[in-house]
Amino acid sequence: MTPKPYLVGLTGGIGSGKSTAAEHFAHLGAGVIDTDAIAHELTAANGAAIPAIRKAFGTQMLTPTGALDRAAMRALAFSDPAARKRLEAILHPMIRDIVTHRISALAPHHPYLILVVPLLVETGAYQTLIDRLLVVDCPQEQQISRVKARSGLPEEQIAAILAAQASRAERLAAAHDVIDNSGDRAYLEAQIEALHRQYLAAAGGTVAEGAAPGGVAAEGATRGAVR
């Protein structure tokens, strides 16, 4: 029987820098699985979730290419909790199945795995799988400015997204480890490198011979589907 891999759950609020942190962990040799990216795969044109989304929400929630219209679904999901629950009921089981498969696929090739889950604290999902909960943290004003610069969302929509997430205090209270992403890239990477050494020691292993130097199974969770 294959031993359980050492698994770190990485989370943080929107705009906190989860993807940037995950990329550096991958650069150092960790295997990375990102539930946001899996949601994007499932809701792309011809994605596995598209038939169920079409049935539940109609073609008005799809683009002309057949992908999920993320802007339209985001507006619906944050104005109608029942619609958000319907979307979650479609996506979450599919995402979990893919996560389980990718954990098995990546574990033999990396000393430990990073599982990126935006709503890890809020939903409690994957808590039975992870060994550590890592929060990427920054002040809320930085989150807002980063999201506006990245996606151009209006501030009221960003506020709605933040309101649907755990508070900063709730995330920090749940964390085993915290990355402060309020500084520059060098400051962020220094913290990640220290945690990488900690996780290597905890996992008690090294990268398998011939393993790839990085391990991003998916780059960048319902939030992922409507991002």
Side-chain angles (χ1 to χ4, degrees), residues 3 19 30 32 48 57 62 82 103-104 113 126 136-137 149 187 191 198 202 214 221:
S19 296
V32 176
F57 297 100
L62 302 180
I103 287 173
S104 298
L113 304 181
Y126 306 102
V136 182
D137 178 61
Y187 179 54
Q191 294 173 80
Q198 175 185 320

Side-chain angles (χ1 to χ4, degrees), residues 14-212:
I14 187 172
S16 61
K18 296 180 296 296
S19 296
T20 303
E23 286 168 9
H24 197 57
F25 275 112
H27 173 74
L28 295 171
V32 176
I33 303 165
D34 191 322
T35 58
D36 257 2
I38 293 171
H40 275 261
E41 293 170 18
L42 290 169
T43 57
N46 301 313
I50 291 299
I53 290 171
R54 183 186 297 111
K55 182 176 180 181
F57 297 100
T59 56
Q60 67 268 25
M61 285 297 158
L62 302 180
T63 68
T65 65
L68 177 67
D69 185 330
R70 301 186 199 288
M73 183 58 78
R74 181 170 54 241
L76 178 63
F78 284 104
S79 65
D80 183 348
R84 184 169 68 247
K85 287 186 181 300
R86 288 203 307 277
L87 182 63
E88 289 170 350
I90 293 167
L91 289 178
H92 286 185
M94 292 183 175
I95 292 169
R96 184 152 188 128
D97 285 349
I98 293 171
V99 165
T100 301
H101 172 76
R102 291 187 182 175
I103 287 173
S104 298
L106 284 176
H109 306 292
H110 302 279
Y112 66 92
L113 304 181
I114 297 284
L115 177 62
V116 186
V117 185
L119 301 181
L120 183 59
V121 172
E122 292 85 341
T123 65
Y126 306 102
Q127 296 279 5
T128 59
L129 293 179
I130 64 173
D131 297 288
R132 302 286 288 181
L133 196 156
L134 170 60
V135 168
V136 182
D137 178 61
C138 69
Q140 189 171 104
E141 54 269 24
Q142 273 189 313
Q143 291 180 256
I144 293 169
S145 64
R146 287 171 180 167
V147 175
K148 286 170 80 172
R150 179 185 71 198
S151 60
L153 290 179
E155 198 154 330
E156 59 271 18
Q157 245 182 37
I158 299 172
I161 294 170
L162 287 168
Q165 297 184 341
S167 69
R168 186 182 183 190
E170 287 168 336
R171 277 192 300 271
L172 292 175
H176 296 111
D177 303 306
V178 177
I179 293 172
D180 175 7
N181 192 23
S182 62
D184 61 15
R185 181 68 179 249
Y187 179 54
L188 173 69
E189 291 184 355
Q191 294 173 80
I192 292 169
E193 286 158 19
L195 285 168
H196 174 66
R197 292 190 292 271
Q198 175 185 320
Y199 298 152
L200 280 177
T206 57
V207 179
E209 187 177 350

